[in-house]
Amino acid sequence: MATLTQSNLSSMDLNDSTQRLRLLQYFYLLSQYSVLSENKQPELSKYLLQNINNIWTKMPAWQWQRKPFNNMKERVQWKLQAGKDVGFKRAIIDEEFFTFAVAADLSKIYPNNPVLQDINQTSLQVFQQRSSFDQAGRWLFDKGSWDTHPDFAYAGYTDTRNIQDKKPIQNSVMDSSHFLRMPLILKSLQDSYRSGSANHNFYQKARIGLEKQLFDRVLINKNNNIHLT
């Protein structure tokens, strides 16, 4: 890990929007390493802290069908206040998920950093606003926000035969391929709070609900072969 990070840090540039998402994913790998190694490389966590501060408060944040926001914080705050009438533009995206997770990890190293505290509070607000639990405890996130996205225009079809006109559905959620990183992200968010606290328990409830949703509604066993809805 030491060789890998030292050889790559100088080439990373979050200002390049074409690199941003993959860099944030890589940053999450590095923040996990920093936590699990008990901050074995302080220069690495400081590097991550600086970049998370920049993306949260200084770097322009792109947005569908409008000029960029001044920073990611401004974009997330807009999404929290936007009504459902704006459609998929209010959906929480991977750039934000990974930023939330990296900040949660770093807050275990820098518990008093005000920017990390702000991100943690904002991510909690996002998850509280966008979480849905059914009577069985199954958890869904951002239900309905993706209904109008072009990628979901044919989501109403149950197979690939005889696809003709668009057939969207209501109350859609992110697909399982994009959502595969959510269990670990939820764990990072949960671990940024004291065990037994209300916020810690909230994320635990979401983790259990995600597991129930996966096994009850997403995985299907057909002739001993596992399929996804």
Side-chain angles (χ1 to χ4, degrees):
M1 176 63 74
T3 302
L4 180 64
T5 56
Q6 289 172 5
S7 65
N8 283 275
L9 293 182
S10 61
S11 65
M12 296 181 184
D13 184 10
L14 279 176
N15 286 297
D16 182 354
S17 60
T18 64
Q19 294 191 57
R20 186 168 298 171
L21 178 56
R22 67 181 179 85
L23 289 183
L24 283 169
Q25 293 182 59
Y26 186 51
F27 283 178
Y28 188 31
L29 169 66
L30 299 181
S31 70
Q32 283 281 287
Y33 169 77
S34 294
V35 170
L36 295 173
S37 71
E38 298 181 343
N39 202 26
K40 185 177 180 179
Q41 294 180 249
E43 71 279 5
L44 176 58
S45 62
K46 290 179 182 178
Y47 170 85
L48 293 173
L49 180 63
Q50 178 183 1
N51 277 278
I52 290 301
N53 176 69
N54 287 341
I55 195 171
W56 188 246
T57 64
K58 298 178 182 179
M59 294 180 182
W62 68 271
Q63 174 63 24
W64 288 296
Q65 300 175 358
R66 57 153 288 165
K67 67 178 183 179
F69 289 97
N70 291 322
N71 50 55
M72 184 182 289
K73 177 180 179 177
E74 188 176 294
R75 184 174 70 188
V76 173
Q77 291 295 338
W78 177 84
K79 290 181 179 183
L80 284 169
Q81 298 170 18
K84 294 184 178 180
D85 57 299
V86 305
F88 68 90
K89 293 187 288 294
R90 72 192 291 268
I92 306 302
I93 59 175
D94 280 339
E95 281 187 11
E96 291 146 0
F97 284 137
F98 285 114
T99 298
F100 293 162
V102 173
D105 284 348
L106 292 177
S107 68
K108 299 185 71 174
I109 301 171
Y110 306 102
N112 298 317
N113 182 274
V115 173
L116 298 180
Q117 291 176 342
D118 184 39
I119 298 173
N120 283 352
Q121 181 57 42
T122 302
S123 60
L124 178 64
Q125 187 179 359
V126 166
F127 275 83
Q128 288 177 332
Q129 182 189 94
R130 301 297 177 88
S131 290
S132 302
F133 296 91
D134 66 13
Q135 291 184 344
R138 289 182 289 261
W139 177 71
L140 295 176
F141 181 82
D142 229 359
K143 186 169 68 174
S145 292
W146 292 101
D147 289 357
T148 61
H149 193 281
D151 289 355
F152 287 73
Y154 298 87
Y157 289 97
T158 57
D159 57 51
T160 57
R161 295 171 295 179
N162 196 31
I163 294 179
Q164 297 179 13
D165 296 330
K166 294 180 179 179
K167 193 177 181 181
I169 59 176
Q170 291 187 333
N171 293 325
S172 59
V173 291
M174 189 178 287
D175 60 86
S176 54
S177 177
H178 281 89
F179 220 59
L180 62 86
R181 69 269 286 160
M182 189 53 66
L184 188 57
I185 288 176
L186 285 174
K187 186 67 166 58
S188 289
L189 296 173
Q190 181 183 17
D191 288 346
S192 67
Y193 292 97
R194 177 179 52 82
S195 178
S197 66
N199 296 336
H200 185 276
N201 292 342
F202 168 77
Y203 285 120
Q204 177 68 8
K205 181 181 178 181
R207 292 177 61 207
I208 294 172
L210 176 58
E211 180 181 354
K212 289 181 64 66
Q213 176 70 14
L214 176 67
F215 285 101
D216 292 355
R217 297 291 175 82
V218 179
L219 297 181
I220 297 177
N221 188 333
K222 290 184 178 180
N223 300 319
N224 291 322
N225 291 311
I226 299 299
H227 299 260
L228 303 178
T229 58

